[in-house]
Amino acid sequence: MDIRGAVDAAVPTNIIAAKAAEVRANLVNWQSYLQSQMISVEDCEFIKKFEVANSEEKQVILTNEGHQCAKTFLNLMAHISKEQTVQYILTLIDDTLQENHQRVNIFFDYAKKTKNTAWSYFLPMLNRQDLFTVHMAARIIAKLAAWGRDLMEGSDLNYYFNWIKSQLSSQNLHGTGPETGSGAGTISPSESSQYVQCVAGCLQLMLRVNEYRFAWVEADGVNCITAVLSNKCGFQLQYQMIFCVWLLAFSPQLCEQLRRYNVVPALSDILQESVKEKVTRIILAAFRNLLEKSAERETRQEYALAMIQCKVLKQLENLEQQKYDDEDITEDIKFLLERLGESVQDLSSFDEYSSELKSGRLEWSPVHKSEKFWRENAVRLNEKNYELLKILTRLLEVSDDPQVIAVAAHDIGEYVRHYPRGKRVIEQLGGKQLVMNHMHHEDQLVRYNALLAVQKLMVHNWSSPHPLSP
């Protein structure tokens, strides 16, 4: 799938487009602003000439008078406070940039001469009350940052990404006053969700640029994405958030970092319930990137095992039976079936256990009750600085699923029983107290397994009089 075409097509414009059409229809009386001495003669003459020009004429004007164009747009924004007029100016700027991406350079040239950044004129507008104004400014910032010759960085980028995160996290954009021309003090849930989609569209545009992908991950943006996906959002926002994961997974180094965020379980859940072909397509494309772009064999294997653990193989087999017009889907299904099929061949019981544990979705699969498994593998839970044990204790602390808690308590008991120094390790990790906390759990199976685990923790020595080092 081609990034550029896919991203351009993915930015939704429904509510913005409808409002923009309304804004364009309300022509501004520039002469009145001139008579009030709010704008200069130069700016008045230029904007009147520019707004009536056709596409070819605008291109000539921008080629010959790019500096004046940027100067006039920004002067009008700075000197006029009437919301309807500000909306009109922003719409004109957005239309100008959308028609030809190279036109962002008129703002970069102007900013360089005035010792500013191209987006510094628009970032303060993110604090305004009117939703249309805010989101048109956000779109323009994204276009300048994604299409421009200079990268947004430092405090400007942090500010913009934090604004995006706050909007996505709320999923309910608040305007304290009525929108100009709307006559209503609040917006409907439908309008609210469409504005959130506009924010997601800005992020999609930004993440086309590799440097911004790293900055987004650094800003804890992946947790923001997974939180939106876990919040049962509508399919359009689902699609956009998964699209962002797909873009992030184009960077091999970020594939390494994405391991920490449990994206595979989140996407496999959506795949299982998806009824929209475009959502299915983007999940498969994201899965393919995770397996194909990861530089390390261990990382590829970990993603493959996570997919197997989350029953993706079965879902792929079901999807394979269907017919698709989109060749990308067919090719991705074939690729994933081959890769996951190879991984199944190499799957050891410890790989299976490790993958299940990392998914956070413990169930009573055979390995948990296997004496042979624990005898051979208990010591391996110490690997990578007790990585798997830390996950077990974390699940005891944060999970609200009785089955997960019961299995985790059982596994801690088995670890202690089969690894002579296990009791000390579990105590150091805080696991003993966490298990004891569940002895009075409302679920009978949790109580039973917590009690058994505590009994094993209380026994001084299971098998060897000589403690072993990990």
Side-chain angles (χ1 to χ4, degrees):
M1 197 189 302
D2 174 67
I3 292 183
R4 176 164 183 161
V7 174
D8 288 347
V11 180
T13 56
N14 36 20
I15 196 169
I16 296 286
K19 181 71 177 175
E22 184 186 315
V23 169
R24 287 187 203 100
N26 293 320
L27 296 178
V28 178
N29 184 352
W30 300 112
Q31 203 64 33
S32 68
Y33 285 114
L34 179 63
Q35 289 167 354
S36 305
Q37 297 185 330
M38 294 176 70
I39 63 174
S40 68
V41 173
E42 183 182 48
D43 288 335
C44 183
E45 287 179 355
F46 182 87
I47 194 66
K48 285 164 71 175
K49 174 177 69 173
F50 187 82
E51 68 180 356
V52 297
N54 63 32
S55 184
E56 290 78 12
E57 290 167 343
K58 278 180 180 168
Q59 186 56 47
V60 172
I61 293 170
L62 289 164
T63 302
N64 297 329
E65 302 177 68
H67 179 83
Q68 183 60 50
C69 181
K71 181 181 177 183
T72 295
F73 279 147
L74 297 173
N75 279 345
L76 296 176
M77 276 170 43
H79 297 130
I80 297 173
S81 58
K82 186 180 178 184
E83 203 67 54
Q84 195 171 357
T85 307
V86 173
Q87 291 176 348
Y88 182 85
I89 299 162
L90 290 173
T91 302
L92 206 53
I93 294 172
D94 189 65
D95 289 346
T96 301
L97 300 183
Q98 190 61 41
E99 198 171 67
N100 184 337
H101 298 183
Q102 296 300 314
R103 292 174 180 173
V104 295
N105 290 322
I106 67 168
F107 290 99
F108 282 91
D109 292 339
Y110 182 79
K112 187 175 182 182
K113 287 177 181 173
T114 56
K115 293 185 168 51
N116 278 310
T117 59
W119 32 80
S120 62
Y121 309 101
F122 301 95
L123 283 168
M125 290 194 153
L126 298 179
N127 292 317
R128 291 177 77 116
Q129 299 301 322
D130 181 83
L131 287 177
F132 179 78
T133 299
V134 168
H135 288 84
M136 285 303 283
R139 276 163 60 104
I140 292 166
I141 293 166
K143 288 170 182 177
L144 291 170
W147 300 338
R149 58 171 177 253
D150 298 331
L151 288 172
M152 188 190 283
E153 53 192 9
S155 58
D156 283 349
L157 185 58
N158 287 336
Y159 183 83
Y160 187 51
F161 273 169
N162 283 333
W163 179 82
I164 288 177
K165 285 196 299 178
S166 71
Q167 302 302 301
L168 291 175
S169 298
S170 68
Q171 282 201 62
N172 181 22
L173 309 186
H174 303 289
T176 56
E179 284 193 75
T180 304
S182 70
T186 58
I187 61 171
S188 70
S190 170
E191 288 177 315
S192 176
S193 75
Q194 288 179 51
Y195 275 118
V196 178
Q197 290 164 21
C198 174
V199 176
C202 293
L203 180 60
Q204 287 173 272
L205 210 49
M206 294 291 287
L207 295 184
R208 273 179 47 184
V209 180
N210 195 43
E211 288 84 352
Y212 296 148
R213 294 176 199 153
F214 281 85
W216 178 252
V217 173
E218 186 71 25
D220 200 31
V222 182
N223 272 331
C224 175
I225 290 173
T226 54
V228 173
L229 289 174
S230 66
N231 204 22
K232 301 295 179 189
C233 57
F235 81 86
Q236 175 60 32
L237 189 56
Q238 240 178 19
Y239 171 77
Q240 292 176 275
M241 292 292 95
I242 300 165
F243 199 109
C244 291
V245 173
W246 174 65
L247 290 172
L248 292 172
F250 271 94
S251 305
Q253 299 102 307
L254 293 184
C255 285
E256 296 293 316
Q257 295 187 45
L258 286 171
R259 295 160 75 178
R260 302 199 302 266
Y261 296 98
N262 260 4
V263 293
V264 170
L267 299 194
S268 63
D269 282 351
I270 296 168
L271 182 62
Q272 197 160 12
E273 298 172 4
S274 173
V275 293
K276 295 288 184 181
E277 186 173 302
K278 73 175 191 175
V279 175
T280 299
R281 181 179 73 239
I282 199 65
I283 292 172
L284 297 177
F287 280 163
R288 179 168 186 162
N289 266 9
L290 291 172
L291 294 178
E292 201 169 35
K293 306 296 183 185
S294 297
E296 301 295 327
R297 184 184 180 281
E298 183 186 346
T299 305
R300 294 194 296 272
Q301 183 69 351
E302 186 173 319
Y303 280 128
L305 294 178
M307 291 175 202
I308 292 165
Q309 180 62 42
C310 293
K311 315 289 193 295
V312 171
L313 205 49
K314 182 66 177 173
Q315 293 175 51
L316 290 169
E317 288 166 357
N318 292 337
L319 290 170
E320 192 183 25
Q321 305 306 313
Q322 301 173 30
K323 291 196 184 316
Y324 300 98
D325 295 329
D326 188 336
E327 288 182 8
D328 283 340
I329 295 184
T330 308
E331 288 176 12
D332 287 348
I333 290 171
K334 183 182 176 186
F335 173 89
L336 291 167
L337 279 169
E338 286 177 4
R339 283 293 177 92
L340 297 188
E342 291 166 7
S343 294
V344 166
Q345 301 297 320
D346 301 333
L347 190 62
S348 70
S349 58
F350 186 75
D351 289 332
E352 189 181 339
Y353 177 78
S354 173
S355 179
E356 182 185 327
L357 190 49
K358 287 175 181 176
S359 77
R361 301 176 179 199
L362 296 180
E363 52 188 53
W364 291 108
S365 52
V367 289
H368 298 283
K369 297 292 185 73
S370 166
E371 184 78 17
K372 179 175 182 288
F373 171 80
W374 286 107
R375 191 169 60 247
E376 294 175 354
N377 294 293
V379 69
R380 295 196 62 186
L381 269 65
N382 300 334
E383 292 174 1
K384 298 182 181 176
N385 193 27
Y386 307 103
E387 178 189 26
L388 296 181
L389 284 176
K390 288 174 181 175
I391 295 173
L392 270 179
T393 54
R394 177 75 177 151
L395 289 173
L396 283 175
E397 186 176 7
V398 303
S399 180
D400 55 6
D401 184 332
Q403 178 174 266
V404 171
I405 299 169
V407 176
H410 167 273
D411 287 3
I412 282 177
E414 288 301 278
Y415 166 76
V416 168
R417 187 159 75 90
H418 288 88
Y419 176 60
R421 285 187 62 199
K423 177 184 172 185
R424 188 185 308 172
V425 173
I426 292 298
E427 285 183 355
Q428 287 173 345
L429 293 175
K432 181 177 178 181
Q433 187 58 51
L434 289 169
V435 172
M436 292 176 75
N437 291 347
H438 290 299
M439 289 174 65
H440 304 291
H441 195 279
E442 59 186 21
D443 184 90
Q444 183 181 350
L445 203 57
V446 172
R447 292 198 304 271
Y448 173 73
N449 282 282
L451 179 60
L452 282 182
V454 168
Q455 288 174 350
K456 293 168 188 174
L457 281 160
M458 294 304 182
V459 174
H460 287 296
N461 201 336
W462 276 100
S463 57
S464 170
H466 305 293
L468 301 176
S469 297

